[in-house]
């Protein structure tokens, strides 16, 4: 069912439209869950893009699917399947990778191996189930409709834990992300930080996958962070901007999907991609102004 099936047409009276939208309990849970996931995905995704570990993030999102298939097979919570497989995959990547830069050749090889094996396991779980998985489209493309109050609470607890750990390790993690060799020389435990971040990335990916689905998790993990890093290289403003963009595209996607009969994932991805294109245009314009000798409003950007 699409959200638009339960709604009257958009009236352009925003007060009335919002009152109608918030009269549905599933929409209240959708906004709560969307806000939680958007913030966690934006923060974890910001470090992921900075560390060039988008392939690892993509692989962790993909293994959410065999996690959901396994949970369906054995009859446990889908959330438990998502988190269990994503965190286990993160630990496996950390254990199998060779020394080197984050996102380098050694890590990419280990990531590909883990992804291939767990996808094969996913197909095995589907075969053993001997039936159609419930809502396979939701597993791949996500849905806000099935989010319960209990799931919102679980997402909130996991989000607080992930953000708290990131707040504690944020400064050394940033140092190790920008220049791991110098960080190691200064006594920073780079490998331990990298392993811990992969686990946090697995937890954040499992959260986002429940909303965006396994195939569209990049909409919230990559695009807000990449857009923010186009606009500014300063870590604090860039991280804050990533969160703001993530929240904006998620809530705009919910609003659009409530009134128009198209998939939520399409709206969220499209709004996020449009923001990235706009940021790219702003950055290109700033480059033109700099070459012409006019004042440049933007700082250096990644």
């Amino acid at each position: 069912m699409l959200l638009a099936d339960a709604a009257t047409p958009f009236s352009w009276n925003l007060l009335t439209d919002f009152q109608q939208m918030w009269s549905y309990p599933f929409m209240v849970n959708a906004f709560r869950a969307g806000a939680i996931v958007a913030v966690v995905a934006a923060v974890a995704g910001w470090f992921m893009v900075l560390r060039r570990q988008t392939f690892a993030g993509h692989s962790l999102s993909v293994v959410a699917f065999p996690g959901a298939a396994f949970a369906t097979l054995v009859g446990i919570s889908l959330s438990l399947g998502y988190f269990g497989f994503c965190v286990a995959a993160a630990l496996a990547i950390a254990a199998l990778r060779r020394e080197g830069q984050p996102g380098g050749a050694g890590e990419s090889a280990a990531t590909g191996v883990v992804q291939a094996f767990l996808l094969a396991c996913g197909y095995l779980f589907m075969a053993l189930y001997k039936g159609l998985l419930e809502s396979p489209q939701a597993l791949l493309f996500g849905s806000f409709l099935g989010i319960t109050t209990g799931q919102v609470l679980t997402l909130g607890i996991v989000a607080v834990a992930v953000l708290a750990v990131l707040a504690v390790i944020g400064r050394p993690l940033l140092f190790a992300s920008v220049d791991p060799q110098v960080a190691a020389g200064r006594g920073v435990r780079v490998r331990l930080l990298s392993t811990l971040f992969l686990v946090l990335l697995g937890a954040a990916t499992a959260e986002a996958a429940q909303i965006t689905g396994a195939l569209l998790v990049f909409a919230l993990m990559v695009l807000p962070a990449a857009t923010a890093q186009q606009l500014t290289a300063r870590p604090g403003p860039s991280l804050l901007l990533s969160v703001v963009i993530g929240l904006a595209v998620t809530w705009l996607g919910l609003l659009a999907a409530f009134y128009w009969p198209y998939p939520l994932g399409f709206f969220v991805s499209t709004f996020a991609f449009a923001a990235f294109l706009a940021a790219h245009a702003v950055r290109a314009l700033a480059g033109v102004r700099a070459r012409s000798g006019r004042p440049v409003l933007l700082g250096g950007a990644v």
Side-chain angles (χ1 to χ4, degrees):
M1 186 184 76
L2 297 172
L3 296 180
D5 294 340
T8 58
F10 188 65
S11 67
W12 293 101
N13 183 335
L14 293 181
L15 179 60
T16 302
D17 291 334
F18 272 95
Q19 285 178 338
Q20 182 202 19
M21 190 167 55
W22 285 95
S23 66
Y24 294 96
F26 71 84
M27 285 304 298
V28 176
N29 280 340
F31 272 81
R32 288 172 176 167
I36 294 170
V37 168
V39 172
V40 175
V43 175
W46 187 85
F47 280 102
M48 180 185 72
V49 172
L50 181 68
R51 294 169 60 82
R52 301 178 179 85
Q53 289 184 301
T54 53
F55 182 47
H58 170 71
S59 297
L60 292 175
S61 68
V62 169
V63 302
F65 178 69
F70 178 77
T72 303
L73 175 64
V74 301
I76 61 176
S77 165
L78 285 180
S79 296
L80 191 57
Y82 278 122
F83 284 110
F85 269 66
C86 287
V87 172
L91 290 172
I93 293 171
L96 294 175
R97 68 182 173 177
R98 301 194 303 270
E99 295 288 348
Q101 291 276 351
E107 183 179 291
S108 295
T111 302
V113 168
V114 171
Q115 182 194 77
F117 172 69
L118 290 180
L119 277 179
C121 290
Y123 290 125
L124 174 64
F125 300 149
M126 291 176 64
L128 292 175
Y129 186 65
K130 296 180 179 178
L132 292 175
L133 288 175
E134 184 179 358
S135 301
Q137 185 177 2
L139 298 180
L140 293 174
F141 301 102
S143 173
F144 280 93
L145 296 179
I147 299 294
T148 65
T149 301
Q151 287 175 307
V152 173
L153 180 61
T154 301
L155 292 177
I157 293 172
V158 174
V160 169
V162 170
L163 294 176
V165 175
L166 279 175
V168 171
I169 69 171
R171 289 180 66 85
L173 180 63
L174 178 62
F175 188 14
S177 302
V178 174
D179 197 331
Q181 285 78 23
V182 174
R186 295 288 184 87
V188 176
R189 301 180 70 179
V190 175
R191 188 171 182 87
L192 177 61
L193 277 175
S194 185
T195 300
L196 184 55
F197 176 69
L198 278 173
V199 172
L200 295 176
L201 185 61
T205 302
E207 275 210 334
Q210 296 179 64
I211 303 301
T212 64
L215 298 183
L216 296 178
V217 68
F218 263 19
L220 291 178
M221 294 291 292
V222 173
L223 285 170
T227 302
Q229 292 182 19
Q230 283 280 331
L231 295 174
T232 177
R234 291 182 295 172
S238 179
L239 189 56
L240 179 61
L241 189 57
S242 178
V243 171
V244 171
I245 294 171
L247 279 172
V249 299
T250 301
W251 286 355
L252 283 175
L254 274 171
L255 178 65
F258 185 78
Y259 285 104
W260 285 277
Y262 302 107
L264 172 65
F266 164 76
F267 285 118
V268 173
S269 301
T270 300
F271 291 146
F273 184 59
F276 177 79
L277 291 181
H280 189 75
V282 170
R283 181 175 165 82
L285 179 62
V288 172
R289 292 173 66 89
R291 286 192 293 273
S292 65
R294 297 178 181 178
V296 179
L297 298 179
L298 295 176
V302 175

